[in-house]
Amino acid sequence: MADNYLERQQEALEQRKAGKRVLTPSQRKRFYTRPVVTKTHEQQQAEIAQLQKNDKKE
């Protein structure tokens, strides 16, 4: 029974490999981070206000 189980596992592995690219563990790790804000709140608000003024002019 153990041989049959191992054969089934090997077949399943072969099918997965044939179907798609196999990812290595380092490729599976994804790190998503928030963007780093380099401006102060006041600077951001001033830019937003400036953009809104420009939109109203057009």
Side-chain angles (χ1 to χ4, degrees):
M1 177 160 165
D3 292 339
N4 190 20
Y5 173 77
L6 292 175
E7 289 171 6
R8 284 187 283 135
Q9 293 298 314
Q10 190 64 30
E11 281 182 36
L13 176 64
E14 297 289 332
Q15 288 175 354
R16 286 195 306 270
K17 282 185 179 180
K20 62 179 179 180
R21 185 173 59 111
V22 177
L23 297 177
T24 62
S26 63
Q27 291 171 329
R28 283 188 215 121
K29 294 178 185 172
R30 302 275 189 241
F31 296 97
Y32 297 101
T33 59
R34 293 184 293 164
V36 177
V37 179
T38 57
K39 300 176 185 174
T40 63
H41 179 72
E42 289 77 18
Q43 290 172 330
Q44 289 177 339
Q45 293 300 314
E47 282 187 12
I48 292 170
Q50 185 65 32
L51 289 173
Q52 288 175 345
K53 287 180 185 176
N54 289 342
D55 287 344
K56 288 179 183 177
K57 289 179 183 178
E58 293 175 354

